[in-house]
Amino acid sequence: MTALKYAPLLALMLAACSSAPPRPEVPAPSASKPPQAQVPAVTPPLSDTAGEAERNNARVCRQVMQHDERNYTKGGLYAPGVADAHPDGELDVSLLKEPVPRSEPKSRGGNRSPYKVLGRSYYVRDSAEGYKERGVASWYGTKFHGRTTSSGEIYDMCQFSAAHKSLPLPSFVRVTRLDTGQSVIVRVNDRGPFHEGRIIDLSFAAATKLGINRLGTAKVEVEAVSNLEDLAPVAVVETPESEQRYLQVGSFASEDNAKVLKERLRDLSIDAAFIQKARTEQGPVWRVRIGPLNSLEIPRIQQLLQEIGLQGVRVGSE
């Protein structure tokens, strides 16, 4: 009788001595309304001096969908029963900066090769160098805004980014719409699109820049760019010592690409950078120039340019 009396207490003592603590039970999700993970806001708060355009962009870029990873099955699609959507309002992309191509280490996530989605295997390239392809571009928006990308970063539909099936993460590419010639530089940090016939999935901002956010898809050319030299092939020429000098650091068929380089120079405190439009036999070009400069200023600025990968500049005079 005594042994039977203390049997429950002995059982509790033995359980307490176990090496693995008991795992807490997780309540099953409600069938009517599954719990949703709280994700921090993607877009940073506005300053008190922000104008109406910035405030409008903040409204457009607000996160409207919370994310529950139980809606994702490994090797499948995220929340396949939920439709993606255009945000409420128009985004002013003139307020956004395109990413500057640069060398970055591969992300810890998203570079396993091969990987499988919907039963099909995909192989990741060792390098983006030399990649160039034409095909159909699509875009993704509010459904994924604020969700973790394949690289481990948070998808922000209001930044210039993209998803690609085979480029290493991250990579930088120039996407050019074939029917209009419009182009945008994007940073590839996600995997997709996994729809037949599509080669790249643009962020909503990038799609807006190309004017395809209302069309859904468009034919594009996608070309890898690894640094600023890919955007600005230049040569060195001599000029008479007595004349005012200008450093020409890039010549582009797209004004937007010229603006990217100009902003990069301004970040280096090269305030004399400006854009000059010119006409050639092939059509208009936008030249990024610095000046006027004297002979003592040129070596210092050339050194700064070399530090960001521009090994040579064109020296001209007016």
Side-chain angles (χ1 to χ4, degrees):
M1 288 291 293
T2 303
L4 292 175
K5 179 179 179 181
Y6 291 102
L9 178 60
L10 180 61
L12 288 174
M13 293 174 65
L14 290 173
C17 294
S18 174
S19 59
R23 301 175 69 179
E25 292 187 4
V26 178
S30 168
S32 59
K33 187 177 181 181
Q36 297 173 328
Q38 295 298 315
V39 181
V42 178
T43 305
L46 290 172
S47 67
D48 294 336
T49 59
E52 183 56 35
E54 287 87 352
R55 295 188 183 282
N56 175 71
N57 273 8
R59 287 191 293 269
V60 173
C61 297
R62 69 188 187 280
Q63 187 173 329
V64 296
M65 178 177 173
Q66 299 299 322
H67 300 286
D68 184 352
E69 287 309 306
R70 282 173 287 188
N71 290 325
Y72 169 72
T73 302
K74 187 176 180 180
L77 302 177
Y78 174 66
V82 178
D84 200 357
H86 191 292
D88 182 18
E90 296 297 328
L91 182 67
D92 185 349
V93 293
S94 69
L95 301 176
L96 308 178
K97 289 186 178 181
E98 292 184 32
V100 176
R102 60 188 180 276
S103 177
E104 291 189 43
K106 290 183 179 179
S107 62
R108 298 181 66 178
N111 284 306
R112 180 171 56 85
S113 183
Y115 66 95
K116 185 175 289 188
V117 176
L118 299 178
R120 180 177 176 180
S121 294
Y122 298 89
Y123 293 83
V124 179
R125 295 168 60 102
D126 292 333
S127 169
E129 186 176 355
Y131 172 79
K132 190 174 183 178
E133 185 178 7
R134 290 188 174 189
V136 175
S138 52
W139 62 272
Y140 58 133
T142 58
K143 175 180 175 179
F144 301 91
H145 188 49
R147 184 173 183 259
T148 303
T149 65
S150 297
S151 67
E153 300 171 359
I154 298 299
Y155 171 60
D156 186 344
M157 66 179 179
C158 293
Q159 297 298 320
F160 295 115
S161 65
H164 194 278
K165 293 187 285 287
S166 63
L167 287 173
L169 305 182
S171 298
F172 294 87
V173 297
R174 178 198 287 114
V175 182
T176 304
R177 183 172 162 181
L178 295 178
D179 59 345
T180 64
Q182 295 169 288
S183 67
V184 63
I185 301 295
V186 296
R187 183 171 175 270
V188 179
N189 66 350
D190 203 0
R191 289 288 172 227
F194 299 109
H195 295 275
E196 193 66 31
R198 301 180 187 180
I199 63 171
I200 195 167
D201 225 0
L202 300 172
S203 66
F204 172 70
T208 302
K209 186 69 175 284
L210 297 183
I212 65 174
N213 55 308
R214 294 294 184 183
L215 299 176
T217 62
K219 291 185 177 180
V220 298
E221 179 177 89
V222 181
E223 182 177 11
V225 288
S226 59
N227 52 51
L228 284 173
E229 286 185 311
D230 291 341
L231 298 176
V234 292
V236 178
V237 297
E238 296 297 330
T239 186
E241 187 67 30
S242 60
E243 297 176 341
Q244 284 187 322
R245 293 185 178 187
Y246 293 81
L247 300 182
Q248 182 169 308
V249 293
S251 182
F252 304 89
S254 165
E255 184 180 10
D256 290 335
N257 289 340
K259 290 178 178 178
V260 170
L261 180 54
K262 178 188 172 185
E263 289 303 314
R264 184 69 180 95
L265 297 176
R266 290 294 178 90
D267 290 342
L268 291 174
S269 298
I270 302 178
D271 297 325
F274 65 97
I275 297 174
Q276 183 181 64
K277 185 177 180 180
R279 296 194 175 276
T280 68
E281 293 181 356
Q282 290 74 35
V285 296
W286 286 265
R287 294 169 177 162
V288 181
R289 311 184 80 189
I290 305 170
L293 303 170
N294 60 46
S295 58
L296 296 178
E297 295 175 299
I298 290 177
R300 179 184 65 83
I301 292 181
Q302 285 180 320
Q303 179 63 37
L304 289 174
L305 297 176
Q306 289 176 6
E307 291 176 2
I308 63 170
L310 290 174
Q311 300 301 319
V313 296
R314 181 173 179 173
V315 184
S317 62
E318 290 186 352

